[in-house]
Amino acid sequence: MSQIDRDFQRVLEEIDGSVDFEPEYYNEAYLSRRISARMRRRDVDTHADYLDVLIDSPEERAALLDSLTINVTNFFRNPKMWEALRPVLQELSASNRRVRIWSAPCADGREPYSLAMLALDDPSIDASRIEILGTDISEDALAHAREGVYETTRTTDIEAELGLLDDPLKYVEKTETRFRVTPAVQSLVTFERHDLIADAQKSGFDLALCRNLLIYIDSAFKLPVFETVAESLVDGGHLVVGMTETIPAGCRDGFEPVNKRCRIYKRVR
Ligand SMILES: C[S@@+](CC[C@H](N)C(=O)[O-])C[C@H]1O[C@@H](n2cnc3c(N)ncnc32)[C@H](O)[C@@H]1O
């Protein structure tokens, strides 16, 4: 192992020991990108120097944690997928029973709130049957999700994100650049901390969304994460993965595509 590799490993060990994050879950290319981005921000050139900054500065440990938890998300991220999901929600809610949906991971809540808003906005979906659980490993992301307040910034246009809805401003209270999700939307969603690698499996879901986490996960953990989500589904339950993700080899027989391009599948056994 070269000195550079050794210094990088020491940074990972420091993260493991003093930052509330498990580096071994994630692939090395991802960790390296996030750490390099923080090194540029702190103007340090080597992993050895960055390690010193990390040891000395609680602020840097917090900033690195923030950067590593990848909680990038949108309302209606990949709008084509949401249009393809609409008939699935219509069919599920026509079944005359409670429909249970799991958004895992949900980041700051925009994904489960998108489900709730779509259900309320589409007259062919019976929102009164729908119950959504949003889970994530990050308590900060969950606190944001429970608060349900989002801000338009230089890089995020919340009103544009809601553009798929017929009547977007019916589901948020808008004050200047701030958007608060309405109580009607919030009443369909509950949030809970859940680690998709370490925590117990769940069950009884008619639909699960597991989008934009598998791409960051080390290959050794992809299967356990995927199985946790897949096993939570009832027979015939639907699954959505991210647009750049695939069902891991070895699990493909258990799913048939409903809309392959939009990564919507149905559990067949
Ligand atoms: C990029 S976001 C995806 C959010 C949303 N599904 C989407 O596609 O917009 C990834 C989220 O995964 C969460 N996460 C990372 N590791 C996790 C784990 N082991 N269990 C549960 N959530 C995890 C992060 O906290 C982050 O909020």
Side-chain angles (χ1 to χ4, degrees):
M1 195 190 276
S2 70
Q3 185 59 42
I4 293 176
D5 291 344
R6 258 198 299 276
D7 290 342
F8 180 66
Q9 288 307 323
R10 286 170 61 214
V11 171
L12 295 185
E13 280 160 26
E14 180 61 26
I15 293 172
D16 202 19
S18 69
V19 179
D20 188 15
F21 185 83
E22 306 257 10
E24 89 261 26
Y25 288 176
Y26 304 89
N27 66 55
E28 208 158 290
Y30 167 73
L31 294 168
S32 171
R33 275 199 309 276
R34 307 312 291 184
I35 292 167
S36 296
R38 286 305 311 160
M39 287 168 61
R40 281 195 299 277
R41 287 294 288 269
R42 296 300 301 239
D43 211 12
V44 291
D45 294 330
T46 66
H47 287 124
D49 288 345
Y50 184 64
L51 183 60
D52 291 340
V53 177
L54 208 52
I55 291 169
D56 286 347
S57 160
E59 291 78 31
E60 183 53 30
R61 292 198 290 276
L64 179 63
L65 176 63
D66 201 39
S67 157
L68 286 168
T69 45
I70 44 164
N71 46 20
V72 176
T73 190
N74 284 167
F75 284 106
F76 300 103
R77 184 175 191 173
N78 306 120
K80 283 200 177 93
M81 187 293 288
W82 289 92
E83 282 303 351
L85 195 61
R86 196 187 276 274
V88 173
L89 291 172
Q90 290 168 346
E91 188 193 314
L92 285 173
S93 80
S95 64
N96 238 3
R97 57 178 180 80
R98 204 164 55 114
V99 175
R100 296 186 63 217
I101 305 177
W102 188 17
S103 163
C106 68
D108 67 15
R110 281 182 268 178
E111 182 176 276
Y113 286 140
S114 299
L115 285 158
M117 288 175 184
L118 183 59
L120 290 164
D121 196 57
D122 186 321
S124 305
I125 300 173
D126 183 352
S128 70
R129 301 204 180 284
I130 288 183
E131 189 177 293
I132 302 158
L133 174 67
T135 65
D136 202 278
I137 198 173
S138 160
E139 290 287 7
D140 284 352
L142 291 168
H144 190 173
R146 290 190 183 99
E147 195 192 2
V149 177
Y150 304 92
E151 187 122 23
T152 283
T153 63
R154 199 166 44 80
T155 50
T156 311
D157 183 340
I158 300 292
E159 200 158 340
E161 289 182 17
L162 298 174
L164 181 135
L165 297 164
D166 277 346
D167 192 358
L169 294 180
K170 200 167 158 190
Y171 308 104
V172 281
E173 288 147 16
K174 181 180 175 205
T175 32
E176 293 174 10
T177 54
R178 281 160 68 88
F179 297 75
R180 177 181 290 281
V181 171
T182 61
V185 174
Q186 287 193 305
S187 72
L188 300 190
V189 186
T190 50
F191 293 101
E192 181 185 303
R193 186 181 180 280
H194 183 270
D195 179 337
L196 285 161
I197 294 171
D199 287 343
Q201 289 198 340
K202 296 185 175 291
S203 61
F205 289 98
D206 301 288
L207 165 65
L209 283 75
C210 183
R211 304 166 69 219
N212 303 304
L213 171 64
L214 290 170
I215 35 172
Y216 304 109
I217 291 279
D218 184 85
S219 48
F221 294 102
K222 278 190 205 290
L223 203 57
V225 167
F226 185 81
E227 280 173 351
T228 297
V229 178
E231 293 298 318
S232 78
L233 290 168
V234 297
D235 283 348
H238 286 75
L239 170 75
V240 185
V241 296
M243 293 294 262
T244 56
E245 295 168 330
T246 51
I247 294 188
C251 300
R252 291 189 188 140
D253 286 353
F255 287 88
E256 67 183 31
V258 171
N259 184 322
K260 207 168 179 177
R261 281 187 65 197
C262 292
R263 304 292 196 268
I264 303 175
Y265 301 87
K266 192 169 183 159
R267 185 177 178 186
V268 288
R269 65 185 159 83

